[in-house]
Amino acid sequence: MAVNTNKRIAVKWIRDKAKSAYTKESNCYICNSTSELELHHLHSITYLLETWAQRGAIDISTDEAVLAIRDQFIAEHHEEIYELVYTLCNRHHVQLHGIYGKSPAPSSVVKQKRWIELQQEKHTSGQSNFRGSSYGSYFSQFLGENSGTRKDQ
């Protein structure tokens, strides 16, 4: 495999292009919070891109190579990128990734959906102990955003 000479992580080029067409709901699917909303993909875009490139012997080792295949990748993975997603508040997004990892395995899609639905049921029935606290994004350390320290509202 070629040495990655990207100035950026390859998947960021994909996300940058895809973001313009994301439909993020106005509230968390689980708790209806309207603050600190994030989009959760059931399928890891990083995993999808790496697997797709490997299967097709497609070069994604340079920024230029990724930009050249970006539209094709997005078109072929439209469902995973735009439809198999949930809008979650930061707290629930962090909890989910705490359970399934930063880049959840494809085999966890059904489990993730079940977890999200169960959390929503708990919240709706009053069984949830969620009281509006938020945490810095789990991904902050990777994306250079605010730190992952707790903030009380």
Side-chain angles (χ1 to χ4, degrees):
M1 178 180 265
V3 173
N4 188 332
T5 58
N6 287 348
K7 292 183 175 109
R8 298 184 75 201
I9 298 170
V11 74
K12 286 188 177 186
W13 288 114
I14 304 297
R15 285 190 189 127
D16 286 353
K17 174 78 175 194
K19 278 182 183 179
S20 64
Y22 284 159
T23 302
K24 187 164 44 172
E25 300 299 328
S26 59
N27 58 321
C28 175
Y29 183 84
I30 294 171
C31 69
N32 289 318
S33 172
T34 58
S35 64
E36 297 186 6
L37 299 176
E38 302 172 355
L39 197 64
H40 174 69
H41 292 89
L42 293 174
H43 292 270
S44 163
I45 295 176
T46 300
Y47 179 85
L48 289 171
L49 176 62
E50 290 173 355
T51 302
W52 179 78
Q54 187 176 29
R55 285 185 187 149
I58 297 169
D59 176 29
I60 57 169
S61 64
T62 66
D63 292 336
E64 294 76 18
V66 174
L67 290 170
I69 57 85
R70 178 169 64 178
D71 290 339
Q72 178 186 356
F73 173 81
I74 290 171
E76 290 181 23
H77 295 87
H78 186 273
E79 182 178 27
E80 293 94 337
I81 294 172
Y82 296 114
E83 296 173 30
L84 298 175
V85 298
Y86 287 90
T87 299
L88 301 175
C89 65
N90 172 264
R91 178 160 189 214
H92 286 116
H93 199 204
V94 168
Q95 286 179 333
L96 186 146
H97 282 286
I99 295 166
Y100 297 103
K102 179 183 174 225
S103 184
S107 61
S108 74
V109 169
V110 171
K111 291 177 183 178
Q112 290 178 66
K113 286 172 103 173
R114 188 171 41 231
W115 183 88
I116 291 168
E117 294 297 333
L118 179 61
Q119 299 312 305
Q120 183 194 47
E121 289 172 22
K122 284 180 179 180
H123 185 79
T124 302
S125 70
Q127 294 176 10
S128 173
N129 61 1
F130 177 70
R131 297 290 179 258
S133 295
S134 65
Y135 296 81
S137 175
Y138 173 82
F139 301 104
S140 299
Q141 61 186 315
F142 305 106
L143 302 175
E145 298 169 358
N146 296 331
S147 70
T149 58
R150 181 178 172 139
K151 301 178 270 182
D152 290 319
Q153 295 180 341

